[in-house]
Amino acid sequence: MKNIKIILLIIVILLLAGLGYFVLIKNKTSQEEVQPSKTLSLLLPEMNEGGGLSITVTPIDFSFEKPVQFKIAFETHQGDLNFDLTKISYLLDDKNNKYIPVSWEGGTGGHHLSGTLVFPEIPNNTKQIKLFIKNVYDIESRQFLWNLK
């Protein structure tokens, strides 16, 4: 009889431990769902064509916690792509904060040009960003837009 009581006590303790674990895991999961995501790793490419030039801009692994990076590809069959992208580009958020590029990791010149344009990180409450590239191939301003939330 004493052995049965011990076995029943062990079973009850194991059931309570399992129930406690389940409640703890369920609570943790629901708390994680409430917190906003800081990463939107997949933002689609945007394209702009005009003046004999095609520009494709693709955000790279976008996250609010690190610098904003864009892979940019230029393609033309006339003229030369000889310009400093850090001087003719800027990023604008939905609150009209302007961000100047930190670096251009690519070349200059030729008919085909590609590289990575890097901007400082932006606040995590930003809802929209617009990349502007000014005065290239007789187009005053080329705009690329992404909605973040």
Side-chain angles (χ1 to χ4, degrees), residues 67-123:
V68 179
Q69 299 182 56
F70 298 99
K71 175 158 179 53
I72 302 180
F74 298 88
E75 187 171 326
T76 186
H77 295 290
Q78 57 190 358
D80 191 29
L81 299 169
N82 193 16
F83 45 81
D84 185 348
L85 207 54
T86 63
K87 293 184 179 169
I88 62 170
S89 304
Y90 65 91
L91 193 62
L92 198 65
D93 68 17
D94 55 298
K95 294 167 192 66
N96 283 327
N97 295 314
K98 188 175 183 179
Y99 305 88
I100 304 302
V102 174
S103 67
W104 165 248
E105 298 164 2
T108 59
H111 293 294
H112 303 280
L113 177 64
S114 65
T116 302
L117 187 62
V118 182
F119 289 88
E121 61 186 69
I122 59 175

Side-chain angles (χ1 to χ4, degrees), residues 21-41:
Y21 178 76
F22 176 76
V23 168
L24 181 68
I25 292 299
K26 183 72 175 161
N27 242 358
K28 184 177 180 184
T29 303
S30 64
Q31 285 175 354
E32 288 173 356
E33 291 170 1
V34 171
Q35 295 176 357
S37 174
K38 293 186 179 185
T39 301
L40 300 168
S41 60

